[in-house]
Amino acid sequence: DLAPGLREPLLDHWLHGRGLPAPTSGQRAQILRQIDARDGRVPCIRWPGAELHVWRGRLWALPPAPPFTPDWQACWRGGVLALPDGGSLHLDRTLDAPLTVRLRRGGERLKPAGDPHTRELRDLFQAGALPPWQRLACPLVWEGDALVAVADRWLSDRGRLLLGETLRWVPGR
């Protein structure tokens, strides 16, 4: 709603405050075209050193996502686990048996603690307002073939027993 003479310096100030470069005039025009995206759309305008997402009526400015392979996985016994997107998974103790942490591959389901129903991750992500750009890099914690935690957002009854309340996910961006 700002006049163009105020809009551009405000955008630049906001981006620079996050350590991100300003867009070109062509990218600014693209931002203006995409800013009123209808529900269900998640536009992303990229330029060297920055990404600008439009989601739920707001702008989200981020550094570019580092490349990572979706088939990444790690054996984890607690403590701090570095994630491929630059984030980390924290547990303030050591586990008796290792768990597997991997990224979403599609079709995963979890029965959250206290919920009578098993839910698809995509439904949990939407209901829990997890930004779309974080969903592919969200760590999934497995005990054998059983999904026990989706980051620190949703834990099964078994996940609560294994991980308690001290599991913490720090997204990479």
Side-chain angles (χ1 to χ4, degrees), residues 81-155:
L81 176 65
L83 300 171
D85 70 338
S88 55
L89 195 60
H90 300 256
L91 187 67
D92 67 356
R93 61 188 174 80
T94 302
L95 297 166
D96 294 332
L99 300 174
T100 301
V101 179
R102 68 176 206 217
L103 303 179
R104 186 175 180 205
R105 296 182 182 159
E108 294 91 354
R109 301 170 64 84
L110 177 79
K111 183 175 180 283
D115 191 327
H117 303 287
T118 299
R119 310 280 180 189
E120 290 187 31
L121 260 54
R122 66 184 173 124
D123 295 334
L124 290 173
F125 288 158
Q126 288 172 357
L130 187 69
W133 54 90
Q134 290 181 350
R135 295 175 189 180
L136 288 176
C138 181
L140 307 181
V141 183
W142 297 80
E143 181 184 39
D145 292 335
L147 179 59
V148 296
V150 179
D152 58 358
R153 303 287 300 261
W154 299 277
L155 284 77

Side-chain angles (χ1 to χ4, degrees), residues 28-112:
R28 289 175 196 279
Q30 183 66 16
I31 292 167
L32 287 175
R33 281 193 297 275
Q34 299 290 338
I35 202 159
D36 291 323
R38 61 178 196 229
D39 287 342
R41 297 256 197 218
V42 186
C44 177
I45 300 92
R46 293 180 175 91
W47 60 92
E51 292 181 0
L52 191 75
H53 297 265
V54 180
W55 184 61
R56 294 197 169 188
R58 297 184 67 191
L59 293 177
W60 303 75
L62 304 165
F68 59 86
T69 58
D71 61 346
W72 173 90
Q73 69 177 37
C75 183
W76 184 50
R77 287 189 162 273
V80 178
L81 176 65
L83 300 171
D85 70 338
S88 55
L89 195 60
H90 300 256
L91 187 67
D92 67 356
R93 61 188 174 80
T94 302
L95 297 166
D96 294 332
L99 300 174
T100 301
V101 179
R102 68 176 206 217
L103 303 179
R104 186 175 180 205
R105 296 182 182 159
E108 294 91 354
R109 301 170 64 84
L110 177 79
K111 183 175 180 283

